[in-house]
Amino acid sequence: MDLSIIIVNWNSVGFVTECVSSIQQSTHDLSYEIIVIDNASAAEDLKRLETNISGIKLIKSAENLGFARANNLGCTHSTGDYLLFLNPDTKVIGPAITVMLNEIRRLPDAGVVGCKLLNTDLTVQLSSIQKFPT
């Protein structure tokens, strides 16, 4: 398995549905799994996740673990050579995931790569551009 994509959900099933759909429509030429960690969402949201989204590994937490602990839980269920932590409100455009995976493979000393984040109007999300800490 090339890549494990981990998405944390808490009452955001609409976003997760769109996110998973965008991954499935745009990501080809690599093997991947999508792991959705549900952080104790409302029962109706959890039911929608179970019935409306196919092709995912759904991990249900009995409590809201928060973002970091939920991602760690996703890691324990992952089988990919690489991990991608993806926010549920993300929409993948074109081959972005494949490009990022190819980039980290090209940089064997890198531990992390990031991508350009865009707003809904496709302008660059300036809040994602930070100076390296000193």
Side-chain angles (χ1 to χ4, degrees):
M1 177 77 55
D2 293 317
L3 182 66
S4 295
I5 302 169
I6 300 172
I7 303 168
V8 175
N9 174 65
W10 184 70
N11 296 324
S12 57
V13 67
F15 286 124
V16 173
T17 302
E18 289 182 35
C19 180
V20 169
S21 177
S22 74
I23 293 166
Q24 293 171 335
Q25 290 174 8
S26 65
T27 306
H28 312 286
D29 303 324
L30 62 108
S31 60
Y32 65 90
E33 64 184 349
I34 300 171
I35 302 169
V36 176
I37 306 299
D38 183 74
N39 253 346
S41 294
E44 60 272 7
D45 269 14
L46 188 55
K47 182 72 171 167
R48 285 177 57 202
L49 273 177
E50 294 173 322
T51 58
N52 294 345
I53 305 175
S54 62
I56 65 168
K57 186 186 296 186
L58 179 61
I59 309 300
K60 303 173 201 171
S61 175
E63 64 177 308
N64 187 335
L65 301 172
F67 186 71
R69 285 178 54 208
N71 275 305
N72 287 338
L73 177 60
C75 289
T76 67
H77 292 274
S78 68
T79 61
D81 295 332
Y82 294 90
L83 299 172
L84 171 60
F85 300 104
L86 203 56
N87 287 342
D89 62 344
T90 301
K91 181 177 179 185
V92 178
I93 301 173
I97 290 176
T98 303
V99 169
M100 283 191 359
L101 183 62
N102 289 337
E103 190 64 20
I104 197 159
R105 284 178 171 156
R106 191 180 70 76
L107 301 166
D109 293 335
V112 176
V113 296
C115 64
K116 178 171 35 173
L117 299 178
L118 303 176
N119 296 306
T120 54
D121 65 358
L122 302 182
T123 58
V124 174
Q125 198 172 96
L126 297 177
S127 63
S128 67
I129 301 172
Q130 304 290 322
K131 290 183 178 180
F132 194 77
T134 60

